[in-house]
Amino acid sequence: MENKTTNLTGRFLMGRHREDILPAELDALESAIGSVTTFGARQDLVRHGEVVERCMLLVEGYICRYMDGLDGSRQLVALHVPGDFVDLHGYPMRTLDHDVATITECKVATFPHEVIDRLVIEHHNLGRLLWFSTLLDAAMHREWIFRLGRLGASGRVAHLFSEIGCRLQMVGLSDGLTYSLPLQQSDIASACGITTVHTNRILRELRERGVVTFSGGEIVVQNREMLHAIAEFDPRYLYPSPRTSS
């Protein structure tokens, strides 16, 4: 009989050493949920500088982390898919140096910090894997820095599509070739450090080259090998489990 773990925490670290979590630890993680809330699209969840007293696990939908410049320009610094803790680093840090917002309607499970205190004391292995989860965020941030600093506009967009496709495949939400990515072109521009006009041009170029199409929030990869080549994409920074790596 399937328990509720599959419903709420079933995608946590899926494809990334989830098999290292013991059944008792999975039950403890599920039991630690304080509440489950559905938020509307384009809604701020945590603001820069706010004191946070709980962590959020994304169950359904897409969430971003972002920072705004003094001129009002926005930079997306992370995108989260189901199975991600979006602010686990707030557990030791207590405040965030950026904002967290929904992209789509989202279902979020929350974990009060005092409950996480008990989890990491009573389940040392689970505590290690929660730490691993935050280190995955750091690895992705480093890759995003590389993407923004060293790739041209086509490479940046191709890298974003490659990464999200790989992460969704890990959690069973894509076959690696088609997946939902309900971003606006302005969101892609904000994640890639280019203008919306330039983003439109790059999307047209990738479509005309037979690499990938992006329409109506849906991605169809026509040539994954070429997409990854343009992106200089190597999924090892995502730390997949050996049986899920390709």
Side-chain angles (χ1 to χ4, degrees):
M1 180 176 178
E2 188 174 72
N3 63 28
K4 65 179 182 177
T5 299
T6 304
N7 295 329
L8 295 176
T9 61
R11 289 195 167 99
F12 173 61
L13 292 184
M14 182 182 286
R16 289 156 139 175
H17 302 282
R18 181 180 173 83
E19 64 274 11
D20 295 339
I21 309 178
L22 301 175
E25 294 169 338
L26 290 174
D27 290 341
L29 184 65
E30 185 74 19
S31 298
I33 295 173
S35 63
V36 180
T37 307
T38 299
F39 296 97
R42 306 284 165 172
Q43 181 175 340
D44 283 321
L45 303 181
V46 183
R47 297 306 305 267
H48 173 210
E50 283 183 356
V51 175
V52 291
E53 298 178 340
R54 79 286 183 272
C55 296
M56 296 181 288
L57 176 70
L58 181 57
V59 179
E60 298 174 2
Y62 290 80
I63 282 176
C64 71
R65 294 189 237 164
Y66 71 90
M67 301 175 74
D68 286 336
L70 294 178
D71 61 355
S73 59
R74 176 159 299 181
Q75 180 73 42
L76 298 192
V77 296
L79 283 171
H80 289 288
V81 303
D84 289 353
F85 269 101
V86 302
D87 57 352
L88 191 56
H89 50 294
Y91 167 60
M93 299 180 77
R94 303 303 179 187
T95 62
L96 302 184
D97 52 17
H98 55 274
D99 300 290
V100 178
T102 60
I103 294 288
T104 64
E105 180 177 279
C106 293
K107 179 187 288 186
V108 172
T110 63
F111 295 77
H113 285 178
E114 63 267 22
V115 177
I116 296 180
D117 285 336
R118 292 201 304 271
L119 281 179
V120 299
I121 291 172
E122 297 172 3
H123 302 277
H124 295 171
N125 181 60
L126 181 58
R128 179 181 65 84
L129 290 169
L130 290 171
W131 185 24
F132 174 69
S133 176
T134 65
L135 295 177
L136 285 174
D137 282 345
M140 286 188 283
H141 279 305
R142 286 190 292 273
E143 192 73 10
W144 278 43
I145 291 170
F146 164 77
R147 168 164 58 83
L148 291 174
R150 292 300 177 186
L151 298 181
S154 296
R156 296 179 190 185
V157 174
H159 193 285
L160 178 66
F161 289 172
S162 297
E163 179 186 293
I164 299 301
C166 186
R167 290 166 63 189
L168 289 174
Q169 188 172 14
M170 286 177 171
V171 297
L173 293 175
S174 170
D175 60 2
L177 297 176
T178 60
Y179 56 93
S180 171
L181 187 62
L183 300 179
Q184 299 172 3
Q185 289 192 17
S186 58
D187 297 323
I188 296 172
S190 295
C192 295
I194 57 179
T195 66
T196 302
V197 171
H198 201 174
T199 299
N200 183 272
R201 188 180 307 126
I202 295 302
L203 293 173
R204 183 174 66 250
E205 173 193 316
L206 293 173
R207 182 181 68 249
E208 292 174 349
R209 292 176 64 183
V211 178
V212 64
T213 61
F214 174 74
S215 179
E218 296 290 327
I219 292 284
V220 177
V221 179
Q222 298 156 310
N223 189 327
R224 182 159 55 180
E225 183 177 344
M226 185 178 293
L227 179 69
H228 288 186
I230 295 169
E232 299 185 25
F233 181 71
D234 181 342
R236 286 181 295 180
Y237 74 95
L238 297 173
Y239 289 85
S241 298
R243 66 187 183 193
T244 61
S245 59
S246 57

PDB file of all heavy atoms in Angstrom, residues 159-197:
ATOM      1  N   HIS A 159      21.583  26.376 -22.346  1.00  0.00           N
ATOM      2  CA  HIS A 159      21.968  25.794 -21.066  1.00  0.00           C
ATOM      3  C   HIS A 159      20.789  25.752 -20.104  1.00  0.00           C
ATOM      4  O   HIS A 159      20.576  24.754 -19.396  1.00  0.00           O
ATOM      5  CB  HIS A 159      23.128  26.582 -20.454  1.00  0.00           C
ATOM      6  CG  HIS A 159      23.800  25.891 -19.313  1.00  0.00           C
ATOM      7  ND1 HIS A 159      23.238  25.805 -18.059  1.00  0.00           N
ATOM      8  CD2 HIS A 159      24.984  25.218 -19.242  1.00  0.00           C
ATOM      9  CE1 HIS A 159      24.044  25.132 -17.263  1.00  0.00           C
ATOM     10  NE2 HIS A 159      25.103  24.763 -17.951  1.00  0.00           N
ATOM     11  N   LEU A 160      20.021  26.835 -20.063  1.00  0.00           N
ATOM     12  CA  LEU A 160      18.840  26.861 -19.206  1.00  0.00           C
ATOM     13  C   LEU A 160      17.881  25.741 -19.579  1.00  0.00           C
ATOM     14  O   LEU A 160      17.395  24.994 -18.710  1.00  0.00           O
ATOM     15  CB  LEU A 160      18.139  28.220 -19.332  1.00  0.00           C
ATOM     16  CG  LEU A 160      16.848  28.389 -18.522  1.00  0.00           C
ATOM     17  CD1 LEU A 160      17.138  28.363 -17.026  1.00  0.00           C
ATOM     18  CD2 LEU A 160      16.140  29.680 -18.913  1.00  0.00           C
ATOM     19  N   PHE A 161      17.613  25.573 -20.871  1.00  0.00           N
ATOM     20  CA  PHE A 161      16.712  24.523 -21.324  1.00  0.00           C
ATOM     21  C   PHE A 161      17.281  23.132 -21.022  1.00  0.00           C
ATOM     22  O   PHE A 161      16.551  22.216 -20.629  1.00  0.00           O
ATOM     23  CB  PHE A 161      16.449  24.654 -22.825  1.00  0.00           C
ATOM     24  CG  PHE A 161      15.583  25.825 -23.216  1.00  0.00           C
ATOM     25  CD1 PHE A 161      15.401  26.144 -24.553  1.00  0.00           C
ATOM     26  CD2 PHE A 161      14.954  26.606 -22.263  1.00  0.00           C
ATOM     27  CE1 PHE A 161      14.591  27.212 -24.930  1.00  0.00           C
ATOM     28  CE2 PHE A 161      14.149  27.684 -22.623  1.00  0.00           C
ATOM     29  CZ  PHE A 161      13.980  27.995 -23.968  1.00  0.00           C
ATOM     30  N   SER A 162      18.583  22.977 -21.200  1.00  0.00           N
ATOM     31  CA  SER A 162      19.221  21.685 -20.933  1.00  0.00           C
ATOM     32  C   SER A 162      19.115  21.320 -19.459  1.00  0.00           C
ATOM     33  O   SER A 162      18.772  20.183 -19.109  1.00  0.00           O
ATOM     34  CB  SER A 162      20.698  21.725 -21.349  1.00  0.00           C
ATOM     35  OG  SER A 162      20.852  21.932 -22.734  1.00  0.00           O
ATOM     36  N   GLU A 163      19.410  22.282 -18.588  1.00  0.00           N
ATOM     37  CA  GLU A 163      19.388  22.003 -17.149  1.00  0.00           C
ATOM     38  C   GLU A 163      17.981  21.665 -16.665  1.00  0.00           C
ATOM     39  O   GLU A 163      17.783  20.666 -15.957  1.00  0.00           O
ATOM     40  CB  GLU A 163      19.919  23.194 -16.354  1.00  0.00           C
ATOM     41  CG  GLU A 163      19.877  22.949 -14.847  1.00  0.00           C
ATOM     42  CD  GLU A 163      20.267  24.149 -14.017  1.00  0.00           C
ATOM     43  OE1 GLU A 163      21.461  24.533 -14.076  1.00  0.00           O
ATOM     44  OE2 GLU A 163      19.396  24.687 -13.308  1.00  0.00           O
ATOM     45  N   ILE A 164      17.004  22.489 -17.019  1.00  0.00           N
ATOM     46  CA  ILE A 164      15.653  22.243 -16.532  1.00  0.00           C
ATOM     47  C   ILE A 164      15.127  20.910 -17.068  1.00  0.00           C
ATOM     48  O   ILE A 164      14.481  20.143 -16.345  1.00  0.00           O
ATOM     49  CB  ILE A 164      14.711  23.396 -16.901  1.00  0.00           C
ATOM     50  CG1 ILE A 164      15.196  24.708 -16.258  1.00  0.00           C
ATOM     51  CG2 ILE A 164      13.284  23.093 -16.444  1.00  0.00           C
ATOM     52  CD1 ILE A 164      15.290  24.679 -14.746  1.00  0.00           C
ATOM     53  N   GLY A 165      15.422  20.613 -18.329  1.00  0.00           N
ATOM     54  CA  GLY A 165      14.994  19.338 -18.883  1.00  0.00           C
ATOM     55  C   GLY A 165      15.585  18.167 -18.133  1.00  0.00           C
ATOM     56  O   GLY A 165      14.904  17.170 -17.844  1.00  0.00           O
ATOM     57  N   CYS A 166      16.873  18.265 -17.780  1.00  0.00           N
ATOM     58  CA  CYS A 166      17.541  17.200 -17.042  1.00  0.00           C
ATOM     59  C   CYS A 166      16.953  17.052 -15.644  1.00  0.00           C
ATOM     60  O   CYS A 166      16.696  15.930 -15.180  1.00  0.00           O
ATOM     61  CB  CYS A 166      19.035  17.487 -16.974  1.00  0.00           C
ATOM     62  SG  CYS A 166      20.020  16.177 -16.246  1.00  0.00           S
ATOM     63  N   ARG A 167      16.721  18.154 -14.969  1.00  0.00           N
ATOM     64  CA  ARG A 167      16.177  18.096 -13.609  1.00  0.00           C
ATOM     65  C   ARG A 167      14.758  17.547 -13.603  1.00  0.00           C
ATOM     66  O   ARG A 167      14.389  16.774 -12.705  1.00  0.00           O
ATOM     67  CB  ARG A 167      16.222  19.496 -12.981  1.00  0.00           C
ATOM     68  CG  ARG A 167      17.639  19.954 -12.661  1.00  0.00           C
ATOM     69  CD  ARG A 167      17.705  21.434 -12.363  1.00  0.00           C
ATOM     70  NE  ARG A 167      16.939  21.799 -11.174  1.00  0.00           N
ATOM     71  CZ  ARG A 167      16.701  23.055 -10.816  1.00  0.00           C
ATOM     72  NH1 ARG A 167      17.163  24.068 -11.565  1.00  0.00           N
ATOM     73  NH2 ARG A 167      16.007  23.304  -9.720  1.00  0.00           N
ATOM     74  N   LEU A 168      13.960  17.912 -14.590  1.00  0.00           N
ATOM     75  CA  LEU A 168      12.606  17.375 -14.665  1.00  0.00           C
ATOM     76  C   LEU A 168      12.617  15.889 -14.987  1.00  0.00           C
ATOM     77  O   LEU A 168      11.778  15.125 -14.491  1.00  0.00           O
ATOM     78  CB  LEU A 168      11.802  18.136 -15.717  1.00  0.00           C
ATOM     79  CG  LEU A 168      11.429  19.574 -15.353  1.00  0.00           C
ATOM     80  CD1 LEU A 168      10.762  20.268 -16.532  1.00  0.00           C
ATOM     81  CD2 LEU A 168      10.496  19.622 -14.133  1.00  0.00           C
ATOM     82  N   GLN A 169      13.568  15.464 -15.809  1.00  0.00           N
ATOM     83  CA  GLN A 169      13.687  14.041 -16.110  1.00  0.00           C
ATOM     84  C   GLN A 169      14.046  13.259 -14.846  1.00  0.00           C
ATOM     85  O   GLN A 169      13.537  12.158 -14.619  1.00  0.00           O
ATOM     86  CB  GLN A 169      14.730  13.816 -17.199  1.00  0.00           C
ATOM     87  CG  GLN A 169      14.780  12.376 -17.723  1.00  0.00           C
ATOM     88  CD  GLN A 169      15.693  12.246 -18.932  1.00  0.00           C
ATOM     89  OE1 GLN A 169      16.484  13.140 -19.230  1.00  0.00           O
ATOM     90  NE2 GLN A 169      15.576  11.127 -19.618  1.00  0.00           N
ATOM     91  N   MET A 170      14.898  13.829 -14.006  1.00  0.00           N
ATOM     92  CA  MET A 170      15.281  13.169 -12.753  1.00  0.00           C
ATOM     93  C   MET A 170      14.074  12.903 -11.858  1.00  0.00           C
ATOM     94  O   MET A 170      14.010  11.880 -11.179  1.00  0.00           O
ATOM     95  CB  MET A 170      16.283  14.041 -11.991  1.00  0.00           C
ATOM     96  CG  MET A 170      17.679  14.061 -12.559  1.00  0.00           C
ATOM     97  SD  MET A 170      18.712  15.203 -11.590  1.00  0.00           S
ATOM     98  CE  MET A 170      20.324  14.845 -12.272  1.00  0.00           C
ATOM     99  N   VAL A 171      13.111  13.827 -11.847  1.00  0.00           N
ATOM    100  CA  VAL A 171      11.967  13.678 -10.944  1.00  0.00           C
ATOM    101  C   VAL A 171      10.734  13.127 -11.652  1.00  0.00           C
ATOM    102  O   VAL A 171       9.620  13.197 -11.138  1.00  0.00           O
ATOM    103  CB  VAL A 171      11.627  15.017 -10.241  1.00  0.00           C
ATOM    104  CG1 VAL A 171      12.791  15.450  -9.361  1.00  0.00           C
ATOM    105  CG2 VAL A 171      11.262  16.109 -11.239  1.00  0.00           C
ATOM    106  N   GLY A 172      10.931  12.573 -12.847  1.00  0.00           N
ATOM    107  CA  GLY A 172       9.857  11.882 -13.537  1.00  0.00           C
ATOM    108  C   GLY A 172       8.835  12.777 -14.198  1.00  0.00           C
ATOM    109  O   GLY A 172       7.708  12.332 -14.471  1.00  0.00           O
ATOM    110  N   LEU A 173       9.210  14.024 -14.511  1.00  0.00           N
ATOM    111  CA  LEU A 173       8.267  14.951 -15.127  1.00  0.00           C
ATOM    112  C   LEU A 173       8.621  15.263 -16.581  1.00  0.00           C
ATOM    113  O   LEU A 173       8.059  16.175 -17.171  1.00  0.00           O
ATOM    114  CB  LEU A 173       8.193  16.248 -14.317  1.00  0.00           C
ATOM    115  CG  LEU A 173       7.579  16.103 -12.915  1.00  0.00           C
ATOM    116  CD1 LEU A 173       7.664  17.407 -12.152  1.00  0.00           C
ATOM    117  CD2 LEU A 173       6.119  15.631 -13.009  1.00  0.00           C
ATOM    118  N   SER A 174       9.559  14.512 -17.146  1.00  0.00           N
ATOM    119  CA  SER A 174       9.937  14.690 -18.544  1.00  0.00           C
ATOM    120  C   SER A 174      10.622  13.427 -19.034  1.00  0.00           C
ATOM    121  O   SER A 174      11.238  12.697 -18.249  1.00  0.00           O
ATOM    122  CB  SER A 174      10.886  15.888 -18.693  1.00  0.00           C
ATOM    123  OG  SER A 174      11.445  15.940 -19.998  1.00  0.00           O
ATOM    124  N   ASP A 175      10.522  13.202 -20.327  1.00  0.00           N
ATOM    125  CA  ASP A 175      11.289  12.116 -20.945  1.00  0.00           C
ATOM    126  C   ASP A 175      12.631  12.630 -21.461  1.00  0.00           C
ATOM    127  O   ASP A 175      13.375  11.906 -22.107  1.00  0.00           O
ATOM    128  CB  ASP A 175      10.496  11.481 -22.093  1.00  0.00           C
ATOM    129  CG  ASP A 175      10.161  12.473 -23.206  1.00  0.00           C
ATOM    130  OD1 ASP A 175      10.569  13.655 -23.121  1.00  0.00           O
ATOM    131  OD2 ASP A 175       9.470  12.071 -24.163  1.00  0.00           O
ATOM    132  N   GLY A 176      12.940  13.881 -21.143  1.00  0.00           N
ATOM    133  CA  GLY A 176      14.177  14.493 -21.588  1.00  0.00           C
ATOM    134  C   GLY A 176      14.052  15.240 -22.897  1.00  0.00           C
ATOM    135  O   GLY A 176      14.948  15.993 -23.271  1.00  0.00           O
ATOM    136  N   LEU A 177      12.941  15.049 -23.589  1.00  0.00           N
ATOM    137  CA  LEU A 177      12.757  15.692 -24.894  1.00  0.00           C
ATOM    138  C   LEU A 177      11.572  16.651 -24.919  1.00  0.00           C
ATOM    139  O   LEU A 177      11.564  17.596 -25.698  1.00  0.00           O
ATOM    140  CB  LEU A 177      12.585  14.630 -25.985  1.00  0.00           C
ATOM    141  CG  LEU A 177      13.787  13.703 -26.198  1.00  0.00           C
ATOM    142  CD1 LEU A 177      13.451  12.642 -27.246  1.00  0.00           C
ATOM    143  CD2 LEU A 177      15.026  14.487 -26.622  1.00  0.00           C
ATOM    144  N   THR A 178      10.575  16.405 -24.101  1.00  0.00           N
ATOM    145  CA  THR A 178       9.416  17.300 -24.028  1.00  0.00           C
ATOM    146  C   THR A 178       9.109  17.571 -22.548  1.00  0.00           C
ATOM    147  O   THR A 178       9.163  16.645 -21.731  1.00  0.00           O
ATOM    148  CB  THR A 178       8.178  16.697 -24.703  1.00  0.00           C
ATOM    149  OG1 THR A 178       7.836  15.455 -24.063  1.00  0.00           O
ATOM    150  CG2 THR A 178       8.426  16.448 -26.185  1.00  0.00           C
ATOM    151  N   TYR A 179       8.799  18.807 -22.247  1.00  0.00           N
ATOM    152  CA  TYR A 179       8.439  19.130 -20.872  1.00  0.00           C
ATOM    153  C   TYR A 179       7.799  20.514 -20.815  1.00  0.00           C
ATOM    154  O   TYR A 179       7.936  21.326 -21.727  1.00  0.00           O
ATOM    155  CB  TYR A 179       9.657  19.070 -19.945  1.00  0.00           C
ATOM    156  CG  TYR A 179      10.823  19.948 -20.331  1.00  0.00           C
ATOM    157  CD1 TYR A 179      10.954  21.232 -19.823  1.00  0.00           C
ATOM    158  CD2 TYR A 179      11.823  19.472 -21.174  1.00  0.00           C
ATOM    159  CE1 TYR A 179      12.034  22.027 -20.156  1.00  0.00           C
ATOM    160  CE2 TYR A 179      12.908  20.260 -21.518  1.00  0.00           C
ATOM    161  CZ  TYR A 179      13.006  21.534 -21.010  1.00  0.00           C
ATOM    162  OH  TYR A 179      14.075  22.324 -21.342  1.00  0.00           O
ATOM    163  N   SER A 180       7.091  20.734 -19.728  1.00  0.00           N
ATOM    164  CA  SER A 180       6.456  22.022 -19.490  1.00  0.00           C
ATOM    165  C   SER A 180       7.458  22.976 -18.873  1.00  0.00           C
ATOM    166  O   SER A 180       8.163  22.626 -17.919  1.00  0.00           O
ATOM    167  CB  SER A 180       5.260  21.838 -18.549  1.00  0.00           C
ATOM    168  OG  SER A 180       4.735  23.083 -18.136  1.00  0.00           O
ATOM    169  N   LEU A 181       7.543  24.174 -19.422  1.00  0.00           N
ATOM    170  CA  LEU A 181       8.373  25.234 -18.861  1.00  0.00           C
ATOM    171  C   LEU A 181       7.594  26.546 -18.989  1.00  0.00           C
ATOM    172  O   LEU A 181       7.800  27.321 -19.927  1.00  0.00           O
ATOM    173  CB  LEU A 181       9.723  25.325 -19.577  1.00  0.00           C
ATOM    174  CG  LEU A 181      10.734  26.300 -18.956  1.00  0.00           C
ATOM    175  CD1 LEU A 181      11.095  25.874 -17.541  1.00  0.00           C
ATOM    176  CD2 LEU A 181      11.990  26.413 -19.809  1.00  0.00           C
ATOM    177  N   PRO A 182       6.665  26.776 -18.056  1.00  0.00           N
ATOM    178  CA  PRO A 182       5.740  27.907 -18.186  1.00  0.00           C
ATOM    179  C   PRO A 182       6.369  29.250 -17.835  1.00  0.00           C
ATOM    180  O   PRO A 182       5.899  29.980 -16.961  1.00  0.00           O
ATOM    181  CB  PRO A 182       4.615  27.529 -17.220  1.00  0.00           C
ATOM    182  CG  PRO A 182       5.276  26.697 -16.186  1.00  0.00           C
ATOM    183  CD  PRO A 182       6.367  25.940 -16.882  1.00  0.00           C
ATOM    184  N   LEU A 183       7.438  29.571 -18.539  1.00  0.00           N
ATOM    185  CA  LEU A 183       8.091  30.869 -18.378  1.00  0.00           C
ATOM    186  C   LEU A 183       7.673  31.810 -19.492  1.00  0.00           C
ATOM    187  O   LEU A 183       7.384  31.382 -20.603  1.00  0.00           O
ATOM    188  CB  LEU A 183       9.619  30.711 -18.433  1.00  0.00           C
ATOM    189  CG  LEU A 183      10.297  29.824 -17.395  1.00  0.00           C
ATOM    190  CD1 LEU A 183      11.800  29.794 -17.638  1.00  0.00           C
ATOM    191  CD2 LEU A 183       9.998  30.287 -15.981  1.00  0.00           C
ATOM    192  N   GLN A 184       7.661  33.091 -19.197  1.00  0.00           N
ATOM    193  CA  GLN A 184       7.513  34.100 -20.225  1.00  0.00           C
ATOM    194  C   GLN A 184       8.895  34.391 -20.812  1.00  0.00           C
ATOM    195  O   GLN A 184       9.920  34.099 -20.198  1.00  0.00           O
ATOM    196  CB  GLN A 184       6.904  35.367 -19.637  1.00  0.00           C
ATOM    197  CG  GLN A 184       5.521  35.174 -19.035  1.00  0.00           C
ATOM    198  CD  GLN A 184       5.029  36.393 -18.287  1.00  0.00           C
ATOM    199  OE1 GLN A 184       5.694  37.430 -18.244  1.00  0.00           O
ATOM    200  NE2 GLN A 184       3.859  36.273 -17.689  1.00  0.00           N
ATOM    201  N   GLN A 185       8.908  34.964 -22.005  1.00  0.00           N
ATOM    202  CA  GLN A 185      10.205  35.293 -22.597  1.00  0.00           C
ATOM    203  C   GLN A 185      10.978  36.265 -21.708  1.00  0.00           C
ATOM    204  O   GLN A 185      12.212  36.207 -21.646  1.00  0.00           O
ATOM    205  CB  GLN A 185      10.018  35.864 -23.997  1.00  0.00           C
ATOM    206  CG  GLN A 185       9.579  34.819 -25.014  1.00  0.00           C
ATOM    207  CD  GLN A 185       9.682  35.313 -26.446  1.00  0.00           C
ATOM    208  OE1 GLN A 185      10.351  36.298 -26.733  1.00  0.00           O
ATOM    209  NE2 GLN A 185       9.009  34.616 -27.354  1.00  0.00           N
ATOM    210  N   SER A 186      10.280  37.101 -20.989  1.00  0.00           N
ATOM    211  CA  SER A 186      10.955  38.026 -20.073  1.00  0.00           C
ATOM    212  C   SER A 186      11.630  37.268 -18.929  1.00  0.00           C
ATOM    213  O   SER A 186      12.672  37.702 -18.411  1.00  0.00           O
ATOM    214  CB  SER A 186       9.967  39.053 -19.524  1.00  0.00           C
ATOM    215  OG  SER A 186       8.886  38.419 -18.857  1.00  0.00           O
ATOM    216  N   ASP A 187      11.042  36.140 -18.500  1.00  0.00           N
ATOM    217  CA  ASP A 187      11.664  35.322 -17.457  1.00  0.00           C
ATOM    218  C   ASP A 187      12.960  34.697 -17.967  1.00  0.00           C
ATOM    219  O   ASP A 187      13.975  34.667 -17.257  1.00  0.00           O
ATOM    220  CB  ASP A 187      10.719  34.199 -17.017  1.00  0.00           C
ATOM    221  CG  ASP A 187       9.433  34.699 -16.399  1.00  0.00           C
ATOM    222  OD1 ASP A 187       9.482  35.716 -15.684  1.00  0.00           O
ATOM    223  OD2 ASP A 187       8.387  34.079 -16.642  1.00  0.00           O
ATOM    224  N   ILE A 188      12.918  34.185 -19.197  1.00  0.00           N
ATOM    225  CA  ILE A 188      14.121  33.595 -19.790  1.00  0.00           C
ATOM    226  C   ILE A 188      15.200  34.664 -19.910  1.00  0.00           C
ATOM    227  O   ILE A 188      16.378  34.423 -19.600  1.00  0.00           O
ATOM    228  CB  ILE A 188      13.794  32.977 -21.159  1.00  0.00           C
ATOM    229  CG1 ILE A 188      12.803  31.813 -20.991  1.00  0.00           C
ATOM    230  CG2 ILE A 188      15.059  32.490 -21.855  1.00  0.00           C
ATOM    231  CD1 ILE A 188      12.279  31.262 -22.307  1.00  0.00           C
ATOM    232  N   ALA A 189      14.796  35.854 -20.327  1.00  0.00           N
ATOM    233  CA  ALA A 189      15.752  36.960 -20.428  1.00  0.00           C
ATOM    234  C   ALA A 189      16.367  37.274 -19.074  1.00  0.00           C
ATOM    235  O   ALA A 189      17.585  37.470 -18.952  1.00  0.00           O
ATOM    236  CB  ALA A 189      15.049  38.196 -21.000  1.00  0.00           C
ATOM    237  N   SER A 190      15.544  37.299 -18.012  1.00  0.00           N
ATOM    238  CA  SER A 190      16.031  37.606 -16.671  1.00  0.00           C
ATOM    239  C   SER A 190      16.958  36.522 -16.140  1.00  0.00           C
ATOM    240  O   SER A 190      17.880  36.806 -15.370  1.00  0.00           O
ATOM    241  CB  SER A 190      14.850  37.793 -15.709  1.00  0.00           C
ATOM    242  OG  SER A 190      14.080  38.923 -16.057  1.00  0.00           O
ATOM    243  N   ALA A 191      16.721  35.274 -16.519  1.00  0.00           N
ATOM    244  CA  ALA A 191      17.589  34.178 -16.083  1.00  0.00           C
ATOM    245  C   ALA A 191      18.902  34.156 -16.844  1.00  0.00           C
ATOM    246  O   ALA A 191      19.919  33.674 -16.331  1.00  0.00           O
ATOM    247  CB  ALA A 191      16.867  32.843 -16.244  1.00  0.00           C
ATOM    248  N   CYS A 192      18.884  34.677 -18.070  1.00  0.00           N
ATOM    249  CA  CYS A 192      20.056  34.579 -18.950  1.00  0.00           C
ATOM    250  C   CYS A 192      20.825  35.883 -19.101  1.00  0.00           C
ATOM    251  O   CYS A 192      21.826  35.939 -19.823  1.00  0.00           O
ATOM    252  CB  CYS A 192      19.624  34.063 -20.321  1.00  0.00           C
ATOM    253  SG  CYS A 192      18.989  32.358 -20.281  1.00  0.00           S
ATOM    254  N   GLY A 193      20.357  36.946 -18.472  1.00  0.00           N
ATOM    255  CA  GLY A 193      21.083  38.209 -18.523  1.00  0.00           C
ATOM    256  C   GLY A 193      21.078  38.869 -19.895  1.00  0.00           C
ATOM    257  O   GLY A 193      22.061  39.511 -20.278  1.00  0.00           O
ATOM    258  N   ILE A 194      19.980  38.700 -20.638  1.00  0.00           N
ATOM    259  CA  ILE A 194      19.851  39.326 -21.950  1.00  0.00           C
ATOM    260  C   ILE A 194      18.501  40.030 -22.020  1.00  0.00           C
ATOM    261  O   ILE A 194      17.672  39.881 -21.125  1.00  0.00           O
ATOM    262  CB  ILE A 194      19.985  38.291 -23.099  1.00  0.00           C
ATOM    263  CG1 ILE A 194      18.943  37.169 -22.940  1.00  0.00           C
ATOM    264  CG2 ILE A 194      21.391  37.700 -23.136  1.00  0.00           C
ATOM    265  CD1 ILE A 194      18.989  36.109 -24.049  1.00  0.00           C
ATOM    266  N   THR A 195      18.250  40.780 -23.079  1.00  0.00           N
ATOM    267  CA  THR A 195      16.984  41.477 -23.212  1.00  0.00           C
ATOM    268  C   THR A 195      15.908  40.542 -23.742  1.00  0.00           C
ATOM    269  O   THR A 195      16.203  39.487 -24.322  1.00  0.00           O
ATOM    270  CB  THR A 195      17.114  42.667 -24.172  1.00  0.00           C
ATOM    271  OG1 THR A 195      17.376  42.168 -25.498  1.00  0.00           O
ATOM    272  CG2 THR A 195      18.232  43.602 -23.737  1.00  0.00           C
ATOM    273  N   THR A 196      14.676  40.941 -23.557  1.00  0.00           N
ATOM    274  CA  THR A 196      13.558  40.141 -24.076  1.00  0.00           C
ATOM    275  C   THR A 196      13.599  40.087 -25.598  1.00  0.00           C
ATOM    276  O   THR A 196      13.304  39.047 -26.202  1.00  0.00           O
ATOM    277  CB  THR A 196      12.227  40.740 -23.604  1.00  0.00           C
ATOM    278  OG1 THR A 196      12.206  40.787 -22.169  1.00  0.00           O
ATOM    279  CG2 THR A 196      11.045  39.896 -24.065  1.00  0.00           C
ATOM    280  N   VAL A 197      13.974  41.191 -26.234  1.00  0.00           N
ATOM    281  CA  VAL A 197      14.079  41.207 -27.696  1.00  0.00           C
ATOM    282  C   VAL A 197      15.136  40.215 -28.161  1.00  0.00           C
ATOM    283  O   VAL A 197      14.930  39.452 -29.113  1.00  0.00           O
ATOM    284  CB  VAL A 197      14.414  42.629 -28.198  1.00  0.00           C
ATOM    285  CG1 VAL A 197      14.735  42.604 -29.690  1.00  0.00           C
ATOM    286  CG2 VAL A 197      13.250  43.582 -27.918  1.00  0.00           C
TER     287      VAL A 197
END
